[in-house]
């Protein structure tokens, strides 16, 4: 029995499989049948179904194996009810008193046998799961003579043992086993486990079920080699209503660790330019512009606010912003905000992929007396490094920024190692990381929230699929731990600029407004934000 939230294959397609691509694979049928349940969260009963001629067992699934082995044991006692009934009582000349005694003895022995079997079932259930299959195989290989029916029973028992073993695993255990099967090239076994997992997970359930729902699709995409198509199909899109925020912006708002990263970077920027009259900020992934709402408000509230602030946003030609007018829409929103606060502000979009941006493209119309700031918010991990190509776009971009001699560079990144790690280790890293993210979302968004579902499907699921399913140039989400970022940025010629104690104190106050399970710690000048004991985001500043 697995207690899960019910959701039909139709709703499953609605939230994940209903994508505009022919390469997506649909759930296939499983050997495990599922009883449909209502939406109130009643438990689903996973029943064992044997092949033709086998009976359906529910209360004692291991009776099948006990029966099969009992039939092959020559030394078994014949005091069971079947053997007693097979005897012809009329052929034995005994009086009624003797018959009564024999019946009483039969009942006593039968009751003891059943009690022993029940005790064995309760106390050694886990041992049977691991050992019965070997026992049946050994019996089958022994030089005994088997009838065709005996052989069929043993075959059914071995098949059922695999299913019982699979059902007894938690989704997390089965996910790890499936990832291991894929890493070993056992596609048939992995496909069978994927089918089983899809019966056990729910995108509307507990965090552990939701993370498992998307991780299993990452594994399925890896088997089908469709990860690239799913990654593109799951791009965050602007909702049709202008009153609602895009999924990525919702993520930044409701998952405090992302917001804390923005606050830390903004604090480093305002400290660096506090004496400058003109400020020019270059952002390589401005997204919805969430970070700059707070920054504009902070700069405008200063007694000696800058006389002019320029913000340049790099706009990838394939960006999802293009369908809603490109980054110009974001710029217009920020310009209106600055105007309402009395801050001279200018926004300029550069339509170019980050990998081909040149200094001349960024410094166009720049004034020599401007303080130059560069902000990398969740962007650097998208650039391939030396493990992907000899061009090493990641270091190339850092060297380009260094040549521009900025006053400060701020970096916000996920703190997890999924870049150069092998598939199996990367899968475990991703599972642990996103499990913490999903748990944290449960604190800020209701379980039934459509916004939460959009955030997880359009933002987190997309990254999960790419991390798990893709390799080489197709794998875009290449996160690094803080230590690796520190080494890489230092090698590019930058020096650490430690965050001030004021920002950490401010964030500690904000944490109390959310949940005390969030945490903040300072390490080598950078600020780490996490959920319980798991680091999620790291923010750092460089000169």
């Amino acid at each position: 029995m697995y207690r899960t939230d019910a959701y039909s294959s139709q709703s499953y397609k609605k939230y994940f499989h209903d994508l505009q691509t022919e390469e997506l694979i649909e759930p296939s049928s499983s050997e495990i049948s599922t009883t449909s349940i209502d939406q109130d969260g009643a438990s689903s009963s996973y029943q064992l179904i044997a092949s033709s001629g086998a009976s359906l067992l529910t209360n004692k699934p291991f009776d099948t194996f006990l029966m099969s082995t009992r039939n092959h044991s020559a030394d078994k006692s014949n005091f069971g009810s079947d053997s007693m009934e097979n005897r012809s009582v009329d052929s034995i000349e005994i009086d009624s008193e003797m018959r009564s005694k024999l019946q009483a003895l039969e009942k006593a022995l039968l009751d003891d046998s059943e009690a022993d079997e029940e005790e064995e079932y309760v106390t050694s259930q886990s041992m049977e799961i691991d050992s019965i299959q070997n026992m049946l195989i050994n019996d089958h290989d022994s030089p005994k003579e088997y009838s065709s029916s005996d052989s069929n029973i043993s075959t059914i028992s071995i098949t059922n043992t695999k299913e019982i073993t699979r059902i007894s695993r938690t989704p997390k255990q089965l996910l790890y086993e499936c990832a291991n099967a894929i890493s070993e090239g056992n596609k048939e076994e992995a496909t069978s486990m994927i089918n089983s997992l899809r019966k056990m997970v729910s995108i509307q359930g507990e965090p552990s079920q939701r993370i498992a729902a998307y991780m299993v699709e990452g594994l399925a995409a890896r088997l089908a080699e469709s990860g690239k198509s799913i990654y593109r199909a799951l791009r965050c899109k602007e909702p049709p209503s202008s009153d609602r925020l895009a999924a990525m912006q919702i993520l930044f708002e409701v998952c405090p660790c992302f917001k804390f990263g923005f606050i830390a970077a903004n604090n480093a920027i305002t400290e660096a330019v506090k004496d400058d009259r003109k400020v020019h900020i270059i952002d390589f992934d401005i997204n919805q512009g969430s970070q700059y709402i707070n920054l504009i408000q902070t700069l405008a509230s200063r007694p000696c606010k800058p006389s002019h602030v320029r913000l340049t946003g790099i706009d990838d030609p394939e960006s999802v912003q293009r369908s809603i007018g490109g980054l110009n829409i974001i710029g217009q929103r920020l310009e209106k905000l600055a105007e309402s606060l009395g801050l001279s502000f200018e926004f300029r979009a550069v339509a170019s992929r980050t990998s081909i941006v040149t200094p001349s493209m960024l410094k166009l119309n720049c004034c020599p007396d401007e303080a130059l700031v560069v902000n990398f918010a969740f962007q650097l991990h998208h650039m391939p490094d030396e493990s992907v190509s000899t061009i090493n776009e990641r270091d190339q971009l850092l060297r380009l920024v260094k040549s521009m001699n900025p006053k400060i560079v701020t970096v916000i990144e996920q703190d997890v190692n999924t870049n150069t790690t092998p598939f199996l280790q990367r899968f475990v890293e991703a599972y642990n990381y996103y499990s913490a993210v999903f748990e944290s979302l449960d604190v800020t968004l209701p379980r039934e929230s459509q916004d939460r579902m959009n955030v997880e499907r359009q933002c987190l699921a997309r990254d999960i699929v790419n991390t798990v399913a893709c390799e080489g140039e197709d794998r875009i989400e290449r996160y690094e731990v803080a230590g690796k970022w520190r080494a890489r940025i230092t090698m590019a010629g930058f020096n650490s600029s430690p965050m001030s104690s004021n920002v950490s104190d401010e964030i500690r106050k904000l944490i109390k407004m959310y949940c005390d399970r969030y945490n903040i710690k300072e390490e080598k000048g950078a600020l780490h934000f996490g959920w319980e004991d798991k680091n999620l985001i790291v923010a750092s500043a460089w000169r």
Side-chain angles (χ1 to χ4, degrees), residues 366-383:
C366 286
C367 299
D369 57 346
E370 285 182 330
L372 181 61
V373 174
V374 174
N375 183 57
F376 289 114
F378 308 106
Q379 166 62 21
L380 282 177
H381 73 269
H382 286 149
M383 308 302 295

Side-chain angles (χ1 to χ4, degrees), residues 447-459:
R447 184 67 53 81
E448 66 278 3
S449 169
Q450 186 64 43
D451 282 340
R452 178 196 58 74
M453 208 172 303
N454 287 340
V455 164
E456 292 177 353
R457 176 180 179 268
Q458 295 181 10
C459 303

Side-chain angles (χ1 to χ4, degrees), residues 363-512:
K363 284 192 171 184
L364 185 65
N365 297 327
C366 286
C367 299
D369 57 346
E370 285 182 330
L372 181 61
V373 174
V374 174
N375 183 57
F376 289 114
F378 308 106
Q379 166 62 21
L380 282 177
H381 73 269
H382 286 149
M383 308 302 295
D385 65 356
E386 65 278 359
S387 66
V388 182
S389 170
T390 55
I391 298 176
N392 194 349
E393 294 180 8
R394 189 173 295 188
D395 286 353
Q396 182 175 280
L397 178 60
L398 288 172
R399 288 194 299 269
L400 179 149
V401 171
K402 175 67 167 57
S403 69
M404 298 169 63
N405 194 28
K407 193 163 190 178
I408 194 165
V409 176
T410 49
V411 178
I412 315 170
E413 278 293 344
Q414 289 90 335
D415 192 5
V416 58
N417 186 16
T418 65
N419 181 25
T420 58
T421 50
F423 163 68
L424 194 57
Q425 182 182 346
R426 184 168 77 244
F427 179 86
V428 175
E429 288 267 348
Y431 181 91
N432 292 334
Y433 181 85
Y434 285 104
S435 290
V437 175
F438 275 66
E439 288 178 9
S440 69
L441 285 176
D442 251 26
V443 175
T444 52
L445 286 175
R447 184 67 53 81
E448 66 278 3
S449 169
Q450 186 64 43
D451 282 340
R452 178 196 58 74
M453 208 172 303
N454 287 340
V455 164
E456 292 177 353
R457 176 180 179 268
Q458 295 181 10
C459 303
L460 303 180
R462 180 173 178 258
D463 293 351
I464 289 171
V465 168
N466 187 257
T467 300
V468 172
C470 299
E471 296 293 349
E473 294 181 355
D474 292 336
R475 182 149 57 87
I476 309 300
E477 308 298 334
R478 293 178 168 273
Y479 307 125
E480 300 268 28
V481 293
K484 288 189 176 182
W485 284 122
R486 185 167 53 249
R488 187 180 296 276
I489 297 173
T490 300
M491 289 177 62
F494 294 93
N495 296 317
S496 175
S497 178
M499 298 283 183
S500 69
S501 58
N502 293 336
V503 65
S504 57
D505 293 339
E506 178 185 351
I507 293 174
R508 285 189 175 91
K509 293 178 182 178
L510 289 175
I511 287 177
K512 296 179 181 179

Side-chain angles (χ1 to χ4, degrees), residues 30 49 70 268 316 481 497 516:
S30 171
I49 299 182
R70 189 181 298 159
D316 189 328
V481 293
S497 178
D516 57 7

Side-chain angles (χ1 to χ4, degrees), residues 275-280 307-308 310 365-372 407:
D275 298 324
D276 294 287
R277 298 297 295 159
K278 295 182 179 181
V279 179
H280 181 195
S307 60
H308 188 72
R310 188 195 309 270
N365 297 327
C366 286
C367 299
D369 57 346
E370 285 182 330
L372 181 61
K407 193 163 190 178

Side-chain angles (χ1 to χ4, degrees), residues 118-220:
E118 182 67 17
E119 182 178 359
E120 181 181 3
Y121 172 80
V122 173
T123 58
S124 63
Q125 182 174 350
S126 61
M127 294 178 61
E128 288 192 72
I129 293 175
D130 297 328
S131 64
I132 288 178
Q133 182 176 352
N134 291 333
M135 178 183 68
L136 291 173
I137 293 174
N138 291 337
D139 284 347
H140 184 73
D141 293 338
S142 64
K144 296 179 181 179
E145 293 184 2
Y146 281 77
S147 66
S148 60
S149 59
D150 289 341
S151 178
N152 289 338
I153 292 175
S154 296
T155 303
I156 293 170
S157 298
I158 293 173
T159 302
N160 291 345
T161 302
K162 293 181 179 180
E163 294 300 330
I164 291 175
T165 302
R166 187 168 299 155
I167 295 174
S168 68
R169 299 286 193 265
T170 65
K172 178 179 179 180
Q173 291 171 327
L174 198 53
L175 278 171
Y176 283 12
E177 291 177 9
C178 183
N180 186 63
I182 292 176
S183 69
E184 294 177 351
N186 193 340
K187 293 185 177 181
E188 183 178 353
E189 182 69 14
T191 300
S192 178
M193 285 189 279
I194 286 171
N195 293 334
S196 297
L197 276 162
R198 281 172 168 161
K199 303 288 186 179
M200 301 165 61
V201 300
S202 169
I203 59 174
Q204 297 173 317
E206 298 288 335
S208 60
Q209 288 182 315
R210 304 202 306 269
I211 177 65
Y214 294 119
M215 294 297 286
V216 71
E217 294 309 322
L219 293 175

Side-chain angles (χ1 to χ4, degrees), residues 316-344:
D316 189 328
E318 297 182 0
S319 169
V320 294
Q321 306 291 350
R322 283 296 173 135
S323 62
I324 57 168
L327 285 177
N328 290 327
I329 299 298
I330 304 300
Q332 291 172 9
R333 293 174 182 173
L334 295 176
E335 286 174 348
K336 288 181 180 179
L337 173 64
E339 182 181 2
S340 68
L341 297 173
L343 179 67
S344 176

